[in-house]
């Protein structure tokens, strides 16, 4: 397992070799099909400035630049993923940084894309930053994990402290919508896409034999059965959300 | 489907080699995309015993738990 220790995050699940072996560098459910759906919903045009926050290796940045002609940049805290992305997609612009502390001036982007990464950020601070750097009328496009039954999810740490996993910061639908709207965004779309999560589970089992075997490889120090049971309690789902800065 | 001596798979009906390709697998209300060996003529798909009894059974169990 590859462990990166920058930014005081000792273990990042998405940096594990299990994900890094993916040929496209894509490490989220749904692939670029959901990315296209988000951009088409917002009606973004060639030349529009879009920032991909938590871009990983930059697969979406490359896709949107090539297929839509958008001016896209990616930002991610993981030096490891950025390095891999620069090798996979030499034509794109990637920068190291966190969603909670974006190094851009106010009102400098027409769209912000945040795919399977918001749950890894401090939600309120990240949403404030997104609001700050978007143009008035700018689009916030999110795809992420959520709990379909959040009342069944036990409070507190899902995984040991210091392990950064997307499930750790997942929330329920109502809580998410409340935060987005309190920040001043107008909600334009909420769509459940949990089928893509099922496909990801299917792919994981085809590749690794079982979810338990997958957890063993990703978080070898933990009890894989406990990880699986705990993660399943709140019924994980996947959503698309589009909101617009007022 | 027959196993040829060198491990290639033949479609019994069409007598042509199977080829790897994307197929759709339906289970309850879910449809999954998977790469499996299929006949390029009649489209029949070969599902190895290990896949059916092992990983597919695991998928079934996992989704029922979800």
């Amino acid at each position: 397992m590859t462990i990166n220790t920058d930014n005081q995050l000792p273990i990042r699940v998405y940096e594990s070799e299990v994900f890094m072996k993916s040929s496209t560098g894509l490490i989220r459910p749904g692939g670029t099909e959901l990315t296209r759906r988000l951009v088409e919903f917002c009606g973004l045009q060639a030349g529009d400035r879009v920032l991909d926050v938590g871009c990983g290796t930059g697969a979406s940045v490359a896709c949107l630049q090539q297929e839509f002609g958008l001016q896209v940049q990616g930002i991610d805290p993981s030096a490891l993923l950025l390095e891999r992305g620069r090798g996979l997609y030499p034509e794109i612009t990637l920068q190291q940084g966190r969603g909670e502390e974006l190094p851009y001036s106010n009102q400098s982007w027409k769209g912000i894309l945040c795919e399977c990464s918001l749950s890894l950020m401090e939600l309120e601070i990240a949403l404030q930053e997104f609001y700050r750097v978007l143009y008035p009328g700018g689009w916030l496009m999110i795809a992420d994990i959520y709990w379909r039954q959040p009342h069944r999810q036990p409070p507190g740490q899902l995984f040991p402290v210091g392990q950064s996993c997307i499930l750790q910061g997942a929330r329920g639908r109502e809580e998410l919508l409340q935060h987005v709207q309190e920040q001043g965004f107008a909600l334009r779309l909420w769509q459940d896409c949990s089928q893509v999560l099922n496909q990801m589970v299917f792919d994981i089992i085809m590749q690794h034999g079982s979810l338990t075997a997958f957890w063993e490889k990703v978080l070898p120090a933990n009890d894989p059965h406990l990880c699986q049971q705990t993660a399943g309690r709140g019924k994980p789902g996947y959503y698309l959300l589009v909101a617009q800065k007022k | 489907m027959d196993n040829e001596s060198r491990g290639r798979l033949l479609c019994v009906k069409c007598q042509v080699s199977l080829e790897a390709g994307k197929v759709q697998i339906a289970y309850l209300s879910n449809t999954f995309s998977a790469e499996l060996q299929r006949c390029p003529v009649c489209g029949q798909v070969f599902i190895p015993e290990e896949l059916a009894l092992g990983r597919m059974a695991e998928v079934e169990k996992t989704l029922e738990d979800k």
Side-chain angles (χ1 to χ4, degrees):
Chain A
M1 179 172 181
T2 306
I3 297 176
N4 188 308
T5 55
D6 56 338
N7 291 348
Q8 299 175 335
L9 288 172
I11 297 177
R12 291 167 169 166
V13 167
Y14 49 89
E15 286 182 342
S16 73
E17 284 179 17
V18 172
F19 288 117
M20 294 296 278
K21 280 179 184 165
S22 155
S23 59
T24 57
L26 266 176
I27 49 177
R28 61 166 192 278
T32 48
E33 189 189 320
L34 294 186
T35 315
R36 292 186 190 93
R37 203 185 295 175
L38 285 167
V39 167
E40 283 165 3
F41 179 88
C42 299
L44 293 169
Q45 303 291 320
D48 283 344
R49 284 171 51 77
V50 174
L51 179 66
D52 183 356
V53 183
C55 63
T57 57
S60 291
V61 176
C63 167
L64 296 182
Q65 191 169 291
Q66 287 162 10
E67 292 184 24
F68 292 83
L70 298 171
Q71 278 190 52
V72 198
Q73 286 185 35
I75 186 165
D76 197 283
S78 167
L80 192 67
L81 294 183
L82 294 174
E83 184 189 338
R84 175 141 200 261
R86 290 183 184 113
L88 284 168
Y89 312 106
E91 71 284 6
I92 63 175
T93 305
L94 302 176
Q95 183 174 359
Q96 190 169 16
R98 299 167 64 239
E100 298 92 331
E101 206 174 346
L102 294 172
Y104 309 106
S105 53
N106 296 349
Q107 302 184 10
S108 51
W109 299 92
K110 177 76 178 282
I112 285 192
L113 181 66
C114 199
E115 294 175 295
C116 213
S117 58
L118 186 62
S119 296
L120 292 164
M121 302 175 203
E122 291 176 60
L123 182 63
E124 286 177 57
I125 302 172
L127 288 173
Q128 277 172 26
E129 275 295 84
F130 300 166
Y131 196 86
R132 179 183 69 77
V133 302
L134 276 172
Y135 298 148
W139 296 93
L140 174 61
M141 300 167 279
I142 302 173
D144 210 347
I145 300 248
Y146 76 112
W147 298 125
R148 286 181 289 170
Q149 295 184 11
H151 58 281
R152 294 182 57 185
Q153 196 59 32
Q157 285 288 122
L158 187 60
F159 297 100
V161 172
Q163 296 188 351
S164 186
C165 173
I166 191 79
L167 291 167
Q168 188 67 63
R171 316 227 176 181
R173 176 181 182 271
E174 296 311 317
E175 188 181 352
L176 280 163
L177 295 184
Q178 186 186 336
H179 280 290
V180 166
Q181 287 167 326
E182 277 178 4
Q183 190 52 52
F185 287 102
L187 182 69
R188 300 295 183 221
L189 173 76
W190 170 277
Q191 194 172 77
D192 179 86
C193 300
S194 299
Q195 165 59 24
V196 298
L197 212 55
N198 290 344
Q199 176 71 50
M200 192 178 198
V201 167
F202 179 88
D203 291 341
I204 285 172
I205 293 172
M206 288 298 118
Q207 194 179 345
H208 303 282
S210 69
L211 269 188
T212 308
F214 168 77
W215 284 116
E216 273 172 348
K217 290 177 190 171
V218 171
L219 294 170
N222 294 356
D223 177 350
H225 297 285
L226 192 62
C227 285
Q228 194 174 325
Q229 282 168 13
T230 314
R233 220 168 279 163
K235 304 278 176 193
Y238 206 71
Y239 69 91
L240 295 184
L241 182 154
V242 174
Q244 200 169 14
K245 181 172 174 176
K246 291 176 184 169
Chain B
M1 308 290 168
D2 286 339
N3 272 307
E4 273 192 338
S5 54
R6 282 177 296 177
R8 237 166 13 110
L9 292 164
L10 278 185
C11 174
V12 171
K13 184 179 160 197
C14 309
Q15 290 299 304
V16 295
S17 295
L18 303 192
E19 295 172 358
K22 285 262 181 207
V23 299
Q24 299 292 312
I25 298 174
Y27 172 69
L28 294 178
S29 56
N30 298 295
T31 305
F32 303 106
S33 176
E35 181 137 323
L36 293 172
Q37 295 286 318
R38 62 179 299 177
C39 173
V41 178
C42 70
Q44 190 164 198
V45 175
F46 175 66
I47 300 179
E49 188 177 352
E50 181 279 323
L51 179 64
L53 300 179
R55 285 174 286 170
M56 283 306 297
E58 184 70 24
V59 169
E60 204 173 319
K61 181 174 158 287
T62 305
L63 291 180
E64 278 168 6
D65 288 347
K66 279 183 77 191

